[in-house]
Amino acid sequence: ESESEVIESENVPVIIEEKSESNEEKIKKSKINSYYRGSAGSNNFYESSIKFPEGIENSFRKNFSLNLEDEFFNSILENNEYIVLSSCNGNVYFVDRFTGKIKEKMYFENESFEKTGIVIENKIYINSLKKIFEINNEDLSKKEIYKSEDDSYIWSNINRCGNKLSVIEFNYQNKKASLKIIDIGGNSDVQEFKFDAINFVSDKICIANNCAYILFDTNLLEYDFDKMRGNIHSLDMKNDNKHRLRTDESSNIFYLNYKLFITSDLYEIFYLDLPGADY
């Protein structure tokens, strides 16, 4: 609803109408973070002002649709202006989130985007099989900020903790993996935690309580960003076959309410209690 203000001018009241800010204007002024599966905890949770059953009462409608005639293996990202899609053919599309029109299309030669990047306060980060690129939201300029080692591939979607990006790098031939920590706060330092992954390493990184959690083989990798130190915990409870937790490439891991949830290869759900707010 608009507000009115009365101004006295030569004893004649003048009414000036103040228009309320539109939802589009509010979004354009906002700083948006966009993650694979909605949150750093990788749990398909998206912040929304719509509460059940308002969506049903107000109805949903299709604003626009596009046929890009391209191939996508990952999820979409968004910021305050664009819907961002990156394809396995090296194309990155910037679609106006309000009109549905393609504002810009970038082509990255010899690159394939198969995992999902991240948006941090409107700045876009996307990862190909070998590189991570930073794209400035203001002018859509791009720069390479990381390249993987020879014979290794960026295996995971990007996640973050503070001003540090985290990705998994994997050499499938020699079964060597590493968690890469890339500082985007100004010094561009890269740290890593190396480990062996014989059967598989997950492409999902779950962030909770300033720690990264990653599934591989029969283990759970826990990396503490504060201490910059990693620990590996075995999930193969050999003395308890009834509650044995086995994971594979399709297993999910996500965080909610001080619990870390993991799905097994038999589609069971296990959870681990993490330290609460009062420890």
Side-chain angles (χ1 to χ4, degrees):
E1 295 182 1
S2 61
E3 299 178 358
S4 298
E5 181 181 355
V6 178
I7 299 177
E8 296 291 339
S9 177
E10 296 181 353
N11 298 320
V12 178
V14 178
I15 298 178
I16 299 177
E17 294 290 335
E18 294 183 357
K19 292 184 178 180
S20 59
E21 191 174 44
S22 69
N23 189 50
E24 181 175 331
E25 291 170 331
K26 290 179 181 177
I27 292 175
K28 286 184 175 180
K29 291 179 180 179
S30 63
K31 293 183 177 180
I32 292 177
N33 298 317
S34 182
Y35 298 85
Y36 168 72
R37 293 199 170 179
S39 72
S42 299
N43 57 12
N44 289 333
F45 176 74
Y46 292 81
E47 289 285 356
S48 174
S49 59
I50 298 177
K51 305 298 181 185
F52 181 83
E54 291 176 9
I56 296 174
E57 292 175 352
N58 297 334
S59 78
F60 295 97
R61 66 185 185 275
K62 182 170 70 175
N63 290 331
F64 57 82
S65 63
L66 293 172
N67 182 6
L68 298 174
E69 297 182 348
D70 210 333
E71 194 170 10
F72 301 89
F73 295 154
N74 51 18
S75 301
I76 67 171
L77 295 169
E78 64 170 341
N79 64 10
N80 63 332
E81 294 187 52
Y82 306 111
I83 294 170
V84 184
L85 305 101
S86 53
S87 81
C88 62
N89 295 312
N91 298 311
V92 180
Y93 301 87
F94 299 86
V95 180
D96 188 302
R97 63 177 294 163
F98 305 105
T99 68
K101 297 185 182 300
I102 297 178
K103 179 70 177 291
E104 184 73 39
K105 175 186 174 182
M106 291 182 184
Y107 174 65
F108 293 75
E109 189 174 4
N110 299 322
E111 301 296 339
S112 178
F113 301 98
E114 299 184 10
K115 300 300 179 181
T116 306
I118 197 169
V119 171
I120 302 175
E121 294 187 351
N122 297 328
K123 188 171 289 186
I124 303 157
Y125 298 87
I126 55 174
N127 53 323
S128 69
L129 293 176
K130 297 292 292 182
K131 299 176 182 179
I132 297 177
F133 300 93
E134 176 186 290
I135 301 175
N136 189 293
N137 183 58
E138 301 296 330
D139 57 4
L140 294 183
S141 60
K142 62 183 180 181
K143 68 177 180 179
E144 177 186 318
I145 64 170
Y146 178 77
K147 182 178 180 180
S148 66
E149 298 177 2
D150 293 340
D151 300 323
S152 293
Y153 294 94
I154 297 175
W155 202 256
S156 72
N157 307 283
I158 300 179
N159 213 329
R160 65 164 300 206
C161 184
N163 61 355
K164 295 179 174 63
L165 300 183
S166 57
V167 292
I168 301 165
E169 198 169 291
F170 188 39
N171 185 323
Y172 186 79
Q173 299 300 321
N174 63 17
K175 307 299 183 182
K176 300 292 183 181
S178 61
L179 173 64
K180 299 286 185 176
I181 310 298
I182 304 160
D183 194 316
I184 55 173
N187 55 24
S188 301
D189 286 345
V190 178
Q191 300 195 37
E192 66 177 355
F193 180 85
K194 296 181 178 181
F195 57 99
D196 294 331
I198 306 304
N199 297 312
F200 83 95
V201 58
S202 175
D203 64 352
K204 307 172 188 71
I205 301 175
C206 178
I207 304 292
N209 294 352
N210 286 337
C211 290
Y213 294 93
I214 299 158
L215 297 172
F216 73 99
D217 295 344
T218 57
N219 302 303
L220 174 68
L221 168 60
E222 178 185 35
Y223 187 88
D224 191 317
F225 288 100
D226 293 330
K227 299 176 181 178
M228 299 302 284
R229 187 175 65 201
N231 290 301
I232 294 175
H233 308 283
S234 175
L235 299 176
D236 191 3
M237 298 170 282
K238 296 180 180 179
N239 296 323
D240 188 1
N241 289 324
K242 184 178 179 181
H243 298 97
R244 185 176 246 181
L245 172 53
R246 290 175 175 165
T247 57
D248 58 18
E249 292 91 339
S250 62
S251 293
N252 285 303
I253 179 170
F254 62 93
Y255 169 77
L256 188 66
N257 295 333
Y258 303 113
K259 288 179 171 59
L260 192 69
F261 293 87
I262 300 172
T263 62
S264 74
D265 59 348
L266 298 177
Y267 306 106
E268 304 160 311
I269 299 177
F270 292 79
Y271 73 83
L272 307 173
D273 285 306
L274 297 183
D278 56 355
Y279 293 93

